[in-house]
Amino acid sequence: MLKINQRFLLQQFVRHAHNQVRVRFAPSPTGYLHLGGLRTALYNFLYARHLGGKFLLRIEDTDQTRLVPGASERLVEDLLWAGIEIDEGPGFGGQLGPYIQSQRTDIYSKAIEELLQNGTAYRCFCTERRLDLLRKEALRTRQVPRYDNKCRHLTTTEVDSLLAKGTAHCIRFKLTDHEEPLDDLIYGKVHHNVSDTEGDPVVMKSDQFPTYHFANVVDDHLMGITHVLRGVEWQISTTKHLLLYKAFGWQPPKFGHLPLLVNADGTKLSKRQGDIGIQHFRQRGFFPQALVNYVVSAGGGFEHRVNAKQQLLTMQELYEQFHIERVNSHPSRLNPELLDDLNRLEIAQRLSDKESRLNLVNEVQELVKTAYPQHSNLDLAENHIVDVLYWSSQRLTLLQDLTSSKLSFLWVKPSDFQLKDLTTKQLISLLKVLKAHQEFNKDELNVKLKNFAKEENIKFPVMMKTLRAALSGLKEGPGVAEMMEILGPSVTLERLSEAVPKESLHLEQNQ
């Protein structure tokens, strides 16, 4: 056990911690963060911030066989990207660590001794072969497989004898009837009597690593967790956890279970769906606040329905409006179309701020360079990119969409262009017409171009073909007038001017 003075100080600190709302997000690093995990972390964070509390990150890595290298680091990166601030956790400090379970094995061993001493846990020497036979027999008789609690009834002499022989064993917890219903913060009164359907659960495996249920309870208590918000799939297990709290004589936290997050058609989200990982959304180019608003739009918890009027709320606005009692208890359906709308909103929002607008420009520049590495003559001027972003903010969903092949004319300047089918004089005359027409609207431009072709006695399709080549170097793509509208007056006039032989343009300008 902990030394008396150490334990007293720890109890005092935990007692003080319980005076403040403290929540935790406790993922296993067996994969990467997905929408369901983000929703759990997010609702914990919103709840803590709404009440002026703390958000803790704890890494539950006791199942050493399923660890994915780098998963913990990626998980932290994704949480911070989403705007979730970590108050305590691995690398973030805190007085109640370590915050990685594999570094807390001594704590679990001492807690197990406490249960063994007060008679609420016992050593189980059953072999894997015997447990397998129990499972097979239960399936044969169409029963739910469960441990028969055989070792609960071993005498002290029998236990000492087996220990003297070095017999491998685990530690099991004695389940008892638990008639008190769980007062769930979201579902209200819920009752599950696990002793009716389960045998005594393992709390410490033979490899001296604790099981999820045991470590979870010990850590939540010692870290001063006051409220546990997690997925509804853990609701049945909560009875087990309450029994563990009772065995230790500890005050349990308050529990709230979040409903299932489901696809638009009502089917359950699955980790096997590669498109629900946060990295998937990041790599595609979705912005963090758009994704956060998307996740909370499905689950409720706010004074007014989030995104009912297609608005993008900041993290502060979300936690100020958050109320746990408003969270829905029915499955939360995600609407992918809403995410597209929200991402367009975030692009427009970022364009309205000078600093974030410059960041968008830099991002587009990098995307274009990556998309067209073979081209040295790229149009990446800041003003041009800003104009394109304003045009695209109501039409495109992702910045990456700007690098599609049909929009390559935005960035790739024509090279080795030779003026055909139009005389230099005619092109210079057209430039004058366009310069006088600064508001570039494709319908008005079409009228102007047709009138010009008629006045100059030029076949309209032939003229448009030449203009397309001068503007984009492409044979296909959007209509020429639409292309001009997208490029805007400045870039359109610049590219058409570059199509005029320099000596002719210079002569014209000096006349």
Side-chain angles (χ1 to χ4, degrees):
M1 304 296 287
L2 290 169
K3 291 180 181 178
I4 293 176
N5 62 332
Q6 290 177 316
R7 185 163 190 176
F8 174 76
L9 289 172
L10 183 59
Q11 287 173 339
Q12 290 296 101
F13 193 92
V14 171
R15 190 174 293 116
H16 173 72
H18 273 285
N19 294 329
Q20 179 188 49
V21 168
R22 289 170 63 83
V23 301
R24 50 58 169 185
F25 178 52
S28 299
T30 55
Y32 299 123
L33 188 66
H34 55 89
L35 284 179
L38 177 63
R39 194 272 300 265
T40 299
L42 186 57
Y43 273 51
N44 274 281
F45 178 72
L46 295 177
Y47 185 70
R49 285 294 183 269
H50 181 77
L51 296 172
K54 298 290 186 183
F55 175 85
L56 284 68
L57 174 67
R58 184 172 71 230
I59 302 298
E60 300 196 337
D61 61 344
T62 54
D63 189 348
Q64 296 283 298
T65 61
R66 298 177 58 225
L67 301 185
V68 174
S72 295
E73 292 79 6
R74 178 68 63 84
L75 188 141
V76 168
E77 184 189 327
D78 285 341
L79 290 175
L80 296 177
W81 172 83
I84 296 174
E85 300 163 351
I86 300 168
D87 298 309
E88 297 177 29
F92 294 89
Q95 298 185 56
L96 296 176
Y99 296 91
I100 299 175
Q101 285 189 335
S102 60
Q103 297 174 10
R104 297 172 61 84
T105 50
D106 286 348
I107 294 171
Y108 305 133
S109 296
K110 290 162 186 171
I112 280 291
E113 283 301 321
E114 192 169 330
L115 294 186
L116 288 171
Q117 287 178 17
N118 69 24
T120 57
Y122 60 92
R123 302 179 193 278
C124 174
F125 298 89
C126 291
T127 63
E128 193 57 47
R129 183 173 180 277
R130 180 177 186 274
L131 296 175
D132 190 44
L133 288 172
L134 282 177
R135 281 191 291 268
K136 287 179 178 177
E137 180 60 19
L139 292 172
R140 188 186 69 79
T141 57
R142 296 184 179 179
Q143 308 261 336
V144 177
R146 56 188 290 184
Y147 179 57
D148 60 1
N149 300 349
K150 176 189 175 187
C151 289
R152 186 198 275 213
H153 309 291
L154 292 175
T155 65
T156 303
T157 303
E158 288 173 320
V159 170
D160 290 344
S161 175
L162 288 165
L163 287 175
K165 295 176 184 176
T167 308
H169 66 281
C170 64
I171 310 294
R172 289 183 182 270
F173 176 67
K174 294 179 181 178
L175 290 181
T176 56
D177 287 342
H178 184 82
E179 297 302 335
E180 274 186 44
L182 164 68
D183 192 6
D184 196 295
L185 292 169
I186 295 168
Y187 286 83
K189 301 290 184 184
V190 179
H191 183 239
H192 295 292
N193 197 337
V194 287
S195 62
D196 287 344
T197 56
E198 294 184 34
D200 292 338
V202 174
V203 287
M204 182 72 81
K205 295 174 284 188
S206 58
D207 62 3
Q208 302 305 302
F209 270 92
T211 58
Y212 163 80
H213 301 290
F214 180 73
N216 190 276
V217 166
V218 171
D219 289 345
D220 281 350
H221 174 71
L222 294 181
M223 292 179 183
I225 300 303
T226 60
H227 297 77
V228 173
L229 304 181
R230 58 189 176 194
V232 71
E233 64 271 20
W234 296 109
Q235 195 178 65
I236 292 178
S237 300
T238 303
T239 299
K240 207 178 300 181
H241 299 171
L242 290 172
L243 288 172
L244 280 164
Y245 278 103
K246 186 177 179 181
F248 280 114
W250 294 340
Q251 176 70 33
K254 293 179 180 178
F255 291 90
H257 292 89
L258 302 170
L260 287 175
L261 200 59
V262 298
N263 295 305
D265 60 2
T267 56
K268 186 179 176 181
L269 291 181
S270 168
K271 290 182 182 180
R272 294 182 180 86
Q273 291 174 251
D275 58 356
I276 70 165
I278 304 308
Q279 281 296 312
H280 165 79
F281 293 101
R282 291 183 64 177
Q283 288 164 3
R284 285 193 61 202
F286 285 101
F287 289 108
Q289 207 55 31
L291 190 63
V292 163
N293 276 255
Y294 173 56
V295 169
V296 301
S297 70
F302 301 87
E303 295 170 9
H304 307 289
R305 186 181 169 195
V306 172
N307 305 125
K309 295 181 181 179
Q310 289 296 290
Q311 56 183 333
L312 195 68
L313 299 181
T314 65
M315 192 68 86
Q316 182 174 339
E317 288 170 331
L318 287 172
Y319 69 65
E320 285 176 351
Q321 295 183 27
F322 183 74
H323 295 280
I324 190 68
E325 62 272 14
R326 293 178 182 269
V327 174
N328 301 328
S329 59
H330 55 76
S332 306
R333 289 181 184 241
L334 290 167
N335 174 12
E337 291 180 5
L338 175 62
L339 178 58
D340 292 346
D341 293 339
L342 291 170
N343 210 61
R344 281 190 286 271
L345 275 176
E346 185 155 0
I347 291 175
Q349 188 180 86
R350 288 177 178 232
L351 277 170
S352 65
D353 175 76
K354 185 177 180 181
E355 185 178 345
S356 59
R357 181 167 62 242
L358 184 58
N359 290 335
L360 280 181
V361 169
N362 292 336
E363 194 169 339
V364 170
Q365 287 173 335
E366 291 306 312
L367 285 170
V368 172
K369 289 175 185 176
T370 302
Y372 304 103
Q374 72 279 19
H375 292 279
S376 57
N377 194 25
L378 294 174
D379 194 345
L380 297 177
E382 181 181 336
N383 290 340
H384 172 51
I385 294 175
V386 170
D387 287 342
V388 170
L389 285 170
Y390 275 115
W391 167 82
S392 67
S393 62
Q394 298 301 316
R395 297 169 176 84
L396 304 178
T397 301
L398 306 166
L399 293 185
Q400 279 90 326
D401 295 340
L402 291 171
T403 61
S404 68
S405 57
K406 67 180 181 181
L407 294 178
S408 64
F409 69 90
L410 290 171
W411 319 113
V412 181
K413 291 183 179 181
S415 56
D416 301 324
F417 175 77
Q418 292 182 349
L419 188 61
K420 296 178 181 178
D421 301 315
L422 276 181
T423 65
T424 298
K425 185 178 179 182
Q426 287 171 330
L427 187 52
I428 291 173
S429 296
L430 178 59
L431 277 168
K432 289 179 180 178
V433 171
L434 293 173
K435 281 177 183 176
H437 188 73
Q438 286 296 302
E439 284 295 322
F440 271 37
N441 172 281
K442 67 177 181 180
D443 295 329
E444 293 177 10
L445 283 168
N446 253 325
V447 172
K448 287 278 184 185
L449 291 170
K450 285 179 180 177
N451 289 339
F452 180 81
K454 189 175 181 181
E455 290 168 6
E456 294 289 331
N457 196 27
I458 310 167
K459 290 182 180 179
F460 184 66
V462 170
M463 183 182 81
M464 297 303 263
K465 181 181 177 183
T466 300
L467 292 179
R468 178 187 296 281
L471 290 170
S472 69
L474 302 173
K475 294 181 180 179
E476 297 178 349
V480 171
E482 184 179 4
M483 195 181 289
M484 288 179 171
E485 179 184 276
I486 298 170
L487 288 171
S490 177
V491 175
T492 297
L493 294 172
E494 179 189 329
R495 291 192 185 180
L496 291 179
S497 295
E498 288 177 357
V500 178
K502 286 185 174 58
E503 62 276 7
S504 299
L505 189 61
H506 181 70
L507 183 64
E508 179 70 23
Q509 289 170 344
N510 288 330
Q511 285 182 351

